[in-house]
Amino acid sequence: MTNFGEEATQIGSARALKFKDVVFPQYREAGVFLWRGYTPLECMHQCFGTSKDFGKGKQMPVHYTGAKVNIQAVSSPLGTQIPQAAGYAYALKQRDRDACAVCYFGEGAASEGDCHSAMNMAATLDCPIMFFCRNNGYAISTATKDQYRGDGIASRGIGYGIPAIRFDGNDLFAVYNATKAARKLCVEEQRPVVLEAMTYRVGHHSTSDDSTAYRSVDEVKHWDTVDTPINRIRNYLTGRAWWDETQEKEFRSNARGEILRGFKEAENTKLPNPLLIFDEVWDELPVQLQAQKDELIKHCMKYGENYPLQNHEEMK
Amino acid sequence: MLCRKLLGRCALRKGEVTLQNVRTAAHFTYLPQTPNPALGDTTKLNMFQSINNAMDIAMEKDSSAVLFGEDVAFGGVFRCSLGLQDKYGSARVFNTPLTEQGIIGFGIGVAAAGTTAIAEIQFADYIFPGFDQLVNEAAKYRYRSGNEYNCGGLTVRAPWGAVGHGALYHSQSPEAFFAHCPGLKVVIPRGPTQAKGLLLSCIRDQNPCIFFEPKILYRIAAEEVPVTDYTIPLSQAEVLREGSDVTMIGWGTVVHVLLEVAQMAHDELGVSCEVIDLQTIMPYDSETIEKSVKKTGKAMVVHEAPLTQGFGAELAARLQEECFLHLEAPIQRVTGWDTPFPYIYEPFYLPDKWRCFDTVKKLVDYM
């Protein structure tokens, strides 16, 4: 899953947070992870499911878990993270009145019942949570006109008694300033805020999607060339002679090198010990599950040649 | 290659398979079945096409029928609804906002009004927001109103099961949760021909039905499918391969693993296995499986879902109740482990042919 077109929503908002603000992601916030210090190599270990993945190869690609960066694990079901973030925010009140929870979600996920519950609870229970909606125009093939008929997501805040702000999600500074202002309100008054970043999903929903089936190439092209966060910030910087083509070339070359090296390294890293399947279902391994683990060990001793054991760390 | 070995030995089977178009997937081979000549002309369809065909027929014959869910308008993420909005219009085939609890609740209402409702949930893994509506409402709609009301016109469809790389949230087989709820029907096809016939039965059945579609079969399972409007009865299991030594019971994808293992058992152990596709999980055809186990005395149930409280537990309990004195070995279950469905470990998680083959050995060696 890619993040093309939504870079400003991620970097601008991440920059305005404090590290101690817990982040509950959906799955299109890789920039928030990277901003806080998750490395491209760590991303790749997760995508390849290697033994160096913090999540130990349990989840599908881009489902990062980020304790190192105070970001909760990505999970596929939509909207489930929203009430969780409200609860976490409530618990934060006991610990740190200078921190908040930030929950990212798309305008599609905002249609889930969980979103309604979360906003209403956050309002009635005074939870210091920022509801950050990336309104990127599409939920797979479903355009916003079929997702809602009201005035986007920001207007819903009013219905719950939650202050709301809508801004240009492709303007890096607008995202930063809006998030900064919202955070101040959220933390100082210990109450929720709704933020709606208007942006556009340039890429397909995922590698399983071909968006030419439901939107025009011209529409995508506009958002990939004219109103794109990277071009806009680049124009701003080059206009002030703070950036130029030489620096751009060098940066791209270095980044490409880093990515390709990371790719190669992750590709050549062993996958985890297969017995980790049984770990961490509960905090401790129940007797029945130990028996199943033993069964797999015995099975692989007999039939191991039929399994990709050579790709994994030793089974022990 | 094992694939070619199997083809060479296909002649030993009851004429159910063809030598054409065998597709080998990650852990099984799909062998196309020979169509029933009594159903007339056929056309080659894969499973998403046969499901599309079933819905097309249903919507043509039943002018009330509506199809809705996330992304169904452009054809659906698995193309099951391709072309249907063009044909029947956006009042009958439409996208809903992103809300499973809404889709199912809305579907109950549509059906309660007497309109046939086909509700698509994008992945079975996402059906749970609608669990309350299914269990507390759909299942009990007729019962709690003294039959004054019902939502029998509701069919909920969802992609189901392992796909090679689906991990926790694109691989689940949640049939056991719903089998535990009286009032619902749960149906799982093993291929395109069954998908069409069983789905048409579900759509026309006067009870809320959940139709789980093995997503790994959408493309790779392809065969000649009768073009006519035909149904396959619910609550009837099918014996795919007759045998005398071991009864193997499964549904969906795993049926193809069992057919392969049955052949391996024949070739390498001289053991004769009877393979049964349960088809309808609830209400299930107990008679067919009991008859088989009374004959063989040795039974194994295989499913991808985790072991504890999986549907194999119900079948094992029932079979030991009804066939106790015929049993020569404890009933075996070969299943996913009691863990969430893990990504990179899938080959070690699935109840694959080696675990099934080893279980056959265990059964015949028991006494």
Side-chain angles (χ1 to χ4, degrees), chain B residues 250-330:
Chain B
W251 46 90
T253 313
V254 106
V255 170
H256 306 291
V257 177
L258 294 179
L259 288 170
E260 208 167 313
V261 175
Q263 192 60 44
M264 280 164 74
H266 173 278
D267 297 340
E268 297 177 37
L269 307 171
V271 169
S272 159
C273 295
E274 183 147 292
V275 179
I276 302 178
D277 178 4
L278 199 63
Q279 303 197 111
T280 298
I281 307 306
M282 192 62 187
Y284 64 98
D285 177 0
S286 196
E287 195 181 317
T288 299
I289 59 175
E290 288 169 28
K291 181 173 165 205
S292 175
V293 176
K294 283 177 178 167
K295 176 172 69 170
T296 64
K298 296 176 283 295
M300 55 194 273
V301 186
V302 186
H303 58 67
E304 288 175 10
L307 175 71
T308 302
Q309 292 291 72
F311 198 65
E314 161 65 25
L315 296 178
R318 166 74 69 141
L319 288 170
Q320 64 86 32
E321 270 171 355
E322 300 298 326
C323 312
F324 185 76
L325 292 175
H326 300 262
L327 291 175
E328 297 170 18

Side-chain angles (χ1 to χ4, degrees), chain B residues 51 91 127 184:
Chain B
I51 287 165
I127 201 168
L184 296 176

Side-chain angles (χ1 to χ4, degrees), chain A residues 65-91:
Chain A
T65 181
K68 126 173 197 187
V69 289
N70 199 16
I71 304 179
Q72 291 278 315
V74 174
S75 78
S76 310
L78 292 174
T80 46
Q81 74 279 17
I82 313 177
Q84 293 167 12
Y88 198 110
Y90 188 86

